[in-house]
Amino acid sequence: MTTYTPSLVSDWARGNRLRQVVSVLAGTVLLALSARVEIPFWPVPFSMQTFVVLALGMVYGPVLGAATVLTYLAEGLVGLPVFVGGGGPAYLAGPTGGYLLGMVAAAWLAGYLALRGWVRHPLTAIAAAALGNLPVYALGIPWLAVWVGSIEQAIVAGFMPFIPGAILKVIGAGLVAWGMAHISRQR
């Protein structure tokens, strides 16, 4: 199967280490800013991070997308206030830690699907974002269960309230990736 360049950004960064570093750092800034767009919930806040993670994965591709999220997590781990509630090891180990770690796999999976051509059509781009979003919950819910007492409580507190917002973020990320890929094909 042939690979597909998902967007202008991956064209721009391909093969040039300095451009890749700039892209990763720009992505971490976007992630930190997206953490500031939040609706406070407990124990897991609602933010725009997953939108940015999915869009970055599909626009950057799996390797650069996952590297961006890993860099973002490293920034938070060392104490930079990049997460919704700040930074530091205790925050990463807290109730939202599983969701944050799931974002690495989410960026990689969404990027992988984009490289396989899923961003060529808006519906498949949205499907790629939806599939990419699954690891966030697959890691986040069991991690949260440790904090709230059971998987059932974690689903009620860390999944059910987020469904409407997740649908909108998935649609948005898919359309952003499709739009950027469409612009890239027009060049």
Side-chain angles (χ1 to χ4, degrees):
M1 176 177 272
T2 61
T3 59
Y4 175 75
T5 303
S7 78
L8 295 167
V9 176
S10 52
D11 283 346
W12 181 79
R14 187 181 306 122
N16 184 315
R17 296 291 177 232
L18 178 59
R19 288 180 178 175
Q20 290 171 347
V21 168
V22 168
S23 295
V24 166
L25 293 177
T28 64
V29 168
L30 286 173
L31 281 165
L33 290 173
S34 71
R36 300 295 174 246
V37 180
E38 68 156 312
I39 298 171
F41 281 112
W42 187 90
V44 179
F46 177 88
S47 76
M48 292 301 292
Q49 288 172 296
T50 52
F51 165 78
V52 172
V53 163
L54 296 169
L56 284 175
M58 291 192 297
V59 169
Y60 281 12
V63 175
L64 199 58
T68 300
V69 178
L70 282 169
T71 302
Y72 169 72
L73 295 179
E75 291 169 351
L77 184 64
V78 299
L80 294 176
V82 296
F83 302 137
V84 171
Y91 188 87
L92 196 56
T96 62
Y99 296 94
L100 290 167
L101 293 174
M103 290 179 187
V104 177
W108 188 91
L109 180 56
Y112 175 82
L113 294 172
L115 280 181
R116 296 295 174 249
W118 286 50
V119 292
R120 290 183 181 153
H121 188 277
L123 292 179
T124 56
I126 292 167
L131 290 171
N133 200 35
L134 294 177
V136 174
Y137 293 106
L139 291 174
I141 291 171
W143 188 295
L144 180 60
V146 172
W147 289 89
V148 297
S150 71
I151 287 288
E152 294 80 16
Q153 288 175 314
I155 290 170
V156 169
F159 177 68
M160 299 302 286
F162 297 93
I163 292 172
I167 290 169
L168 293 175
K169 290 188 281 185
V170 160
I171 291 169
L175 292 177
V176 164
W178 169 76
M180 290 192 73
H182 182 73
I183 291 168
S184 181
R185 287 192 305 271
Q186 301 302 313
R187 292 186 322 146

